[in-house]
Amino acid sequence: MTWTREQVQKEPVWAEVVDVIHCVAVVFGSITVAAGFLRSRSMGGFGLSIYTSGLLAILVLAFVFRSRLPRMARSILILVTLLMAVFGAMLHMGIYAASAALLPVLVVIAWLIWSRRAALVLTIVVVAGFVCLALLHIAGWASIPYDVRLFDRMPTYWLNLSAVYTLAGVLMFGVTYTLLHRMQAAVRSANESEKSVRGNQERLAEILRGIHDVVFLHDPRTGLILEAFGRVQEMYGYGPEDLIGKDVQAVSAGFAPWSRDEAKDWIDQAKLEGFAIFPWKARRADGTLFWVEVSIRPIHLVGEEKILVTVSDIDGFVNAQSDLATINAELESRVEQRTLEIQQEREAARAFAYSVSHDLRSPLRAINGFTKILREDFESSLPSEGRQALVRIESAAERMGGLIEALLSLSKVDRHPVHLSQVDISCLIQEVREELCAAAQCPGAGKSCCNVQWSVASLPSLLTDHALARMVLTNVLGNACKFIRPDSIQRIEIFAQERADGIWCVVSDNGVGFDMAYADKLFQAFQRLHSDSVDGIGIGLATVKKALDRLGGAIEAEGVVGAGATFRFRLGPAANNVRDEV
């Protein structure tokens, strides 16, 4: 048989009801049997008293051994025994049998504690027995005294008493049913309250089990752990039940400053200030140590003071901080080493520039001087081959001087201090254009303006260094003017381009262009992608790159052989350029 939860909860109530009925039946049965013996003595016959005494003995034995009998079996025994006693008394006494009043009581009890089918069977038995006994006594019964038999033969008495018994049964059933119904409602309400409380407890327990941290409940006087929730097994390697009744020493490093004494000091501080949060070194079941963050807060549960402790695992965070500190220390060491190397490189560059400006210029001046003497004093006596040799020497010396000046100019870029200010790029481009025309850097020099077709859009003011910006524009625009195609009109377009990382200046021409396969050589010193027919020593774009590096800027180049080139450059750090508000 499968029992539901409600049946399991009702079973003790019904068992108690049966116990009460059984006890009442035994007590009143004993009184009735005793009274029956006294009456039988006066009437001169003990047969009925002996019969009822036997039934009473069965009830007494069933009550003594009630723990071994099922509730239903015991209720059947009680009702059947009482029914046999009532029918025996009515058989002997008829309408005068006072125990007949128990018949409606038996029916009420059956309908309350039995199933409907069993109660209906008992009701039919009671009604049928009552009718049979009534008919029997109405027809005549020789063993009944004459005065009793006189009334037993009257159907009116039987009908009246039947109505009385029925009304008494209905009244008893209504009262008993009402009391039991209220009792059942109280039981259901108590069960629902218990179910609600149990549900809340289960939800709270589930929430506590699901939290990432560990929660301890401590006794404020002894410091012992009363309850443990959360990731206890995952964090400490213990089950929650293993830590109940232990103190903080069981889950701590166990030595100063992470021992029982320091933990007590933190608890005392939490009591005074209301809470305390601090790092702590804890110990797992296998003995390994790890870092946790502990939060202590005094609370009151059911009127009692407790200490609520929340523990968060921060071992990974602490280790990451330690690793980060180590990496930072290594990085600082590398930065210092690299800074020293850069300083050494700058010192070497300065030494090289000094050597170039002094040690290389002296022999170059000597070469120029001696070639001048040869030309002035001995040119007429030199053969044509000698005069050509002098021309080549002078040209090489001049070229060497240009290289020395370019190297010095390139080395000065690194030493140039950067002073940021708002620079009007449009005005600066106009100044550079005029200088290029005046310096014969464009075709048509000596005329009112260069015969290059310029298309210059309005460019914004930018936060940059004026001198370095001029250096960049001079070299980029100078290249655009130099590398022209003889069969076309040189066009140069200048405009601004706004990107996510700042304002870029764009210089595009339709000159000779260059092969993108060699684009990586554009910004290297003395790397030329064109023939010597165009003036230059290959240092201009290298100077541009170095100047932009000083500004934190960048440069891009695109070109197609015979179709022109485009240079885009940013004169400051990414997203650091500021457009003037007009």
Side-chain angles (χ1 to χ4, degrees):
M1 179 178 179
T2 303
W3 291 79
T4 64
R5 174 181 175 86
E6 186 176 359
Q7 288 174 325
V8 171
Q9 292 177 339
K10 288 182 178 180
E11 184 63 23
V13 176
W14 292 121
E16 187 174 353
V17 171
V18 174
D19 284 344
V20 172
I21 294 173
H22 201 161
C23 184
V24 170
V26 169
V27 172
F28 282 92
S30 300
I31 296 174
T32 303
V33 169
F37 269 105
L38 294 176
R39 185 175 182 182
S40 297
R41 182 179 179 182
S42 63
M43 295 180 66
F46 293 94
L48 181 60
S49 297
I50 295 172
Y51 172 72
T52 54
S53 297
L55 296 176
L56 178 62
I58 294 174
L59 285 177
V60 172
L61 289 175
F63 188 79
V64 172
F65 297 102
R66 63 186 181 279
S67 61
R68 300 184 181 181
L69 294 175
R71 173 182 65 84
M72 184 58 66
R74 192 149 55 95
S75 64
I76 294 174
L77 178 63
I78 295 171
L79 296 185
V80 171
T81 302
L82 292 177
L83 187 64
M84 291 175 64
V86 171
F87 280 168
M90 291 190 67
L91 181 65
H92 185 73
M93 298 294 297
I95 200 69
Y96 272 86
S99 60
L102 287 175
L103 289 177
V105 176
L106 298 179
V107 173
V108 169
I109 292 174
W111 279 99
L112 291 177
I113 65 176
W114 284 2
S115 65
R116 294 181 179 180
R117 182 178 300 177
L120 181 61
V121 171
L122 183 65
T123 303
I124 294 173
V125 171
V126 168
V127 173
F130 186 84
V131 171
C132 291
L133 288 172
L135 295 175
L136 185 63
H137 281 271
I138 291 173
W141 189 254
S143 62
I144 302 176
Y146 176 77
D147 55 346
V148 174
R149 189 167 63 248
L150 181 64
F151 290 100
D152 285 342
R153 289 181 178 179
M154 298 181 181
T156 305
Y157 275 86
W158 285 94
L159 293 175
N160 289 337
L161 286 179
S162 298
V164 171
Y165 293 159
T166 301
L167 291 175
V170 171
L171 180 61
M172 291 167 46
F173 180 82
V175 173
T176 308
Y177 179 80
T178 301
L179 294 176
L180 287 177
H181 181 71
R182 290 182 178 178
M183 181 183 67
Q184 290 174 352
V187 170
R188 283 195 299 269
S189 177
N191 290 338
E192 290 175 359
S193 299
E194 180 184 359
K195 184 178 180 181
S196 177
V197 171
R198 187 179 292 109
N200 291 335
Q201 290 176 343
E202 290 176 354
R203 283 195 297 271
L204 180 59
E206 191 66 26
I207 291 172
L208 291 174
R209 282 193 296 269
I211 61 176
H212 186 71
D213 299 333
V214 172
V215 178
F216 292 114
L217 198 64
H218 288 261
D219 188 318
R221 295 179 299 276
T222 63
L224 298 180
I225 298 174
L226 303 178
E227 295 184 53
F229 306 95
R231 298 175 59 252
V232 181
Q233 183 70 43
E234 293 84 348
M235 190 177 296
Y236 289 98
Y238 294 106
E241 64 281 354
D242 298 331
L243 297 177
I244 304 301
K246 296 183 179 180
D247 63 4
V248 70
Q249 194 79 359
V251 291
S252 299
F255 51 85
W258 308 291
S259 65
R260 183 187 296 108
D261 296 335
E262 287 79 12
K264 185 177 183 302
D265 294 339
W266 282 111
I267 292 176
D268 293 339
Q269 178 180 335
K271 289 180 179 179
L272 292 175
E273 300 180 2
F275 70 95
I277 300 177
F278 53 91
W280 191 260
K281 184 163 283 190
R283 182 188 300 274
R284 293 189 176 93
D286 58 5
T288 58
L289 301 179
F290 65 104
W291 283 100
V292 297
E293 184 181 66
V294 179
S295 172
I296 299 179
R297 186 179 298 275
I299 62 174
H300 287 81
L301 293 178
V302 198
E304 296 183 1
E305 185 181 7
K306 296 292 187 291
I307 299 297
L308 183 67
V309 178
T310 304
V311 181
S312 303
D313 188 349
I314 60 171
D315 194 60
F317 176 72
V318 173
N319 291 335
Q321 279 191 325
S322 177
D323 294 342
L324 183 60
T326 302
I327 293 173
N328 286 337
E330 294 178 356
L331 183 60
E332 289 178 0
S333 176
R334 292 180 180 179
V335 169
E336 291 178 357
Q337 182 178 358
R338 181 56 181 161
T339 302
L340 180 60
E341 292 175 355
I342 292 174
Q343 291 177 350
Q344 291 174 350
E345 291 176 358
R346 287 183 175 179
E347 291 296 330
R350 291 173 183 171
F352 174 74
Y354 180 83
S355 176
V356 168
S357 60
H358 293 80
D359 298 343
L360 293 183
R361 280 181 173 180
S362 296
L364 190 60
R365 284 195 296 268
I367 293 173
N368 286 330
F370 283 116
T371 54
K372 184 177 181 180
I373 293 173
L374 286 174
R375 180 176 295 280
E376 292 176 352
D377 296 342
F378 304 101
E379 183 177 9
S380 58
S381 60
L382 288 175
S384 61
E385 292 85 355
R387 288 192 295 270
Q388 292 177 0
L390 283 177
V391 171
R392 291 178 181 177
I393 292 173
E394 289 174 345
S395 176
E398 183 179 356
R399 184 174 180 81
M400 184 65 181
L403 288 173
I404 292 174
E405 291 297 331
L407 285 174
L408 290 175
S409 176
L410 187 63
S411 66
K412 288 178 182 179
V413 176
D414 284 332
R415 299 194 302 272
H416 177 78
V418 177
H419 298 293
L420 298 180
S421 62
Q422 288 293 335
V423 177
D424 189 337
I425 302 301
S426 295
C427 292
L428 188 58
I429 290 175
Q430 182 61 32
E431 294 175 5
V432 171
R433 284 178 57 191
E434 294 175 357
E435 291 178 0
L436 290 175
C437 289
Q441 294 293 318
C442 290
K447 299 180 181 179
S448 60
C449 64
C450 176
N451 64 359
V452 172
Q453 292 184 357
W454 294 86
S455 174
V456 182
S458 177
L459 280 84
S461 295
L462 301 177
L463 183 64
T464 185
D465 181 270
H466 187 277
L468 293 177
R470 174 184 283 274
M471 188 180 301
V472 170
L473 290 170
T474 299
N475 284 280
V476 173
L477 296 182
N479 276 358
C481 288
K482 285 189 297 184
F483 296 103
I484 63 174
R485 289 184 299 167
D487 58 344
S488 65
I489 299 175
Q490 184 75 343
R491 296 184 179 88
I492 300 176
E493 184 180 6
I494 305 173
F495 58 92
Q497 188 178 70
E498 186 171 0
R499 297 186 185 178
D501 57 350
I503 304 297
W504 289 65
C505 298
V506 181
V507 177
S508 179
D509 64 68
N510 64 339
V512 297
F514 61 89
D515 190 348
M516 287 294 292
Y518 303 101
D520 56 335
K521 296 182 179 180
L522 279 176
F523 305 103
Q524 298 178 11
F526 307 117
Q527 295 290 332
R528 292 172 56 91
L529 303 186
H530 303 89
S531 64
D532 293 338
S533 60
V534 179
D535 293 338
I537 57 176
I539 204 73
L541 291 180
T543 303
V544 169
K545 182 67 168 62
K546 190 173 288 289
L548 290 174
D549 288 342
R550 293 281 290 156
L551 291 171
I555 187 169
E556 300 172 353
E558 294 179 6
V560 178
V561 176
T566 299
F567 288 88
R568 303 180 184 88
F569 51 90
R570 190 184 65 234
L571 293 171
N576 195 39
N577 292 329
V578 180
R579 181 189 295 268
D580 284 344
E581 297 294 338
V582 180

